[in-house]
């Protein structure tokens, strides 16, 4: 009976915690609104190749810099007569791809290093120096180096942004690992004869998941902004592939005649970053155990 009861109890605790977190998120209006915005953006980005009104490189020289509301072009056109709405939809898809790829890269590398730095004293100094070394390289210098070696592309932009975010992930995970390592249940597992890898995989990593999730929601908007900056400078996604950053770079040349070509991509970038940040803050509050006392 004991062998069956313990897993059932652990499962019940996990279900109860998830239910509590979801309830807190539902009670937060900003969390609900930001989640709806992100879900809608994800659906549009996923289906954009099929639901976009026009091809991203389809031109209409009879309707260049057409204002919003023009027949067939809800958000107007750019200097080449390309539909702004279609390019924004495909550009948002690219921004989300870079954001997810960059954060996945930083988590895959940063989480194990952060766990090792926080748990093994001998590795802490080495990993901390590696973190300082990564912080010593400015983000743009790293992006320029990758673009010079491998060429400017979506994948290289994601790699550059992901590498730049690794130090932050290492520091956050290391700090939480140090906290968890000092708790009684970890000490009990060590006394019981559990190996270091078992303690890390079975006790510390699951309890650090909430911190990692919050860090990811904060890192994604930073990656989206980073991709926009790189594409604006010509180091990210290359034309004719659409990108919100390249749309801004192109629109600055005729901003006086067609300000909407720059305003709409900028609003989408700002909206995505703001939605991720708001949802990340709400998720952090929902995962906080001290919330039960309020």
């Amino acid at each position: 009976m004991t062998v069956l009861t313990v897993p059932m109890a652990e499962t019940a605790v996990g279900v109860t915690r998830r239910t509590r977190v979801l309830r807190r998120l539902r009670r937060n209006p900003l969390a609900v609104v930001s989640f709806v915005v992100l879900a809608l953006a994800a659906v549009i980005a996923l289906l954009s190749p099929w639901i976009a009104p026009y091809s991203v490189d389809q031109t209409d020289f009879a309707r260049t810099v057409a204002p919003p509301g023009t027949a067939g072009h809800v958000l107007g056109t750019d200097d080449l007569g390309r539909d702004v709405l279609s390019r924004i939809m495909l550009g948002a898809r690219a921004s989300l791809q870079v954001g997810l790829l960059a954060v996945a890269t930083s988590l895959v590398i940063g989480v194990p290093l952060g766990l090792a730095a926080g748990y093994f004293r001998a590795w802490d100094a080495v990993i901390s120096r590696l973190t300082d070394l990564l912080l010593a390289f400015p983000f743009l210098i790293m992006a320029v180096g990758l673009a010079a070696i491998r060429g400017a592309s979506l994948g290289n932009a994601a790699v550059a942004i992901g590498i730049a975010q690794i130090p932050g992930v290492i520091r956050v995970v290391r700090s939480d690992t140090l906290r968890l390592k000092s708790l009684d249940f970890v000490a009990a597992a060590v006394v019981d004869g559990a190996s270091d890898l078992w303690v890390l995989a079975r006790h510390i990593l699951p309890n650090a998941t909430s911190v990692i999730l919050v860090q990811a929601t904060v890192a994604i908007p930073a990656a989206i902004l980073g991709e926009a900056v790189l594409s604006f400078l010509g180091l990210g996604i290359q034309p004719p592939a659409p990108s919100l950053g390249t749309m801004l770079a192109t629109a600055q040349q005729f901003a006086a005649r067609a300000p909407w070509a720059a305003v709409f991509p900028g609003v989408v970038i700002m909206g995505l970053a703001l939605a991720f940040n708001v949802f990340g803050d709400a998720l952090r509050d929902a995962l906080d155990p001290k919330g039960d006392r309020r």
Side-chain angles (χ1 to χ4, degrees):
M1 290 295 294
T2 303
V3 176
L4 295 176
T5 303
V6 174
M8 291 175 61
E10 292 179 352
T11 302
V13 171
V15 172
T16 302
R17 186 185 182 192
R18 286 195 295 270
T19 303
R20 183 173 64 249
V21 170
L22 290 175
R23 184 172 63 249
R24 291 179 185 174
L25 289 175
R26 287 197 299 267
R27 291 177 179 177
N28 188 336
L30 290 177
V32 174
V33 172
S34 61
F35 178 79
V36 171
V37 171
L38 293 177
L40 183 61
V43 171
I44 292 176
L46 185 64
L47 301 178
S48 57
W50 299 278
I51 65 176
Y54 299 91
S55 173
V56 293
D57 55 356
Q58 181 177 343
T59 58
D60 184 358
F61 294 108
R63 292 183 176 181
T64 57
V65 293
T70 301
H73 301 284
V74 177
L75 299 185
T77 63
D78 61 8
D79 59 326
L80 297 178
R82 296 173 298 188
D83 184 60
V84 172
L85 175 60
S86 300
R87 294 183 62 79
I88 285 179
M89 293 170 68
L90 272 297
R93 174 188 176 93
S95 295
L96 291 175
Q97 283 179 329
V98 170
L100 293 176
L101 287 174
V103 171
T105 300
S106 64
L107 292 180
V108 167
I109 299 174
V111 170
L113 291 178
L115 290 173
Y119 191 81
F120 300 105
R121 182 182 297 272
W123 291 16
D124 190 13
V126 176
I127 296 176
S128 296
R129 298 296 77 77
L130 174 62
T131 302
D132 295 338
L133 180 63
L134 290 175
L135 288 173
F137 286 94
F139 162 64
L140 285 178
I141 298 298
M142 188 181 305
V144 170
L146 280 175
I149 296 172
R150 303 185 57 187
S153 65
L154 184 150
N156 293 335
V159 170
I161 297 171
I163 293 175
Q165 291 181 340
I166 289 175
V169 175
I170 292 177
R171 290 186 169 184
V172 169
V173 176
R174 174 186 177 274
S175 176
D176 204 48
T177 301
L178 288 171
R179 179 185 66 85
L180 294 170
K181 182 182 176 181
S182 63
L183 298 182
D184 293 338
F185 69 92
V186 174
V190 174
V191 171
D192 198 39
S195 65
D196 292 334
L197 290 178
W198 175 264
V199 172
L200 286 171
R202 187 68 178 82
H203 297 287
I204 293 182
L205 180 58
N207 286 282
T209 302
S210 58
V211 174
I212 296 172
L213 287 175
V214 173
Q215 178 67 17
T217 58
V218 173
I220 290 177
I224 291 175
L225 293 175
E227 182 276 328
V229 170
L230 292 180
S231 296
F232 184 87
L233 297 175
L235 301 174
I237 301 171
Q238 296 298 296
S243 168
L244 299 177
T246 55
M247 291 182 68
L248 289 175
T250 303
Q252 70 173 341
Q253 303 172 14
F254 54 93
R257 289 189 299 151
W260 57 85
V263 170
F264 291 131
V267 169
V268 172
I269 294 173
M270 182 184 68
L272 288 175
L274 181 62
F276 272 112
N277 279 315
V278 170
F279 186 75
D281 290 341
L283 182 61
R284 180 195 59 201
D285 295 338
L287 291 170
D288 187 2
K290 297 178 181 179
D292 294 333
R293 303 175 186 175
R294 300 190 183 102

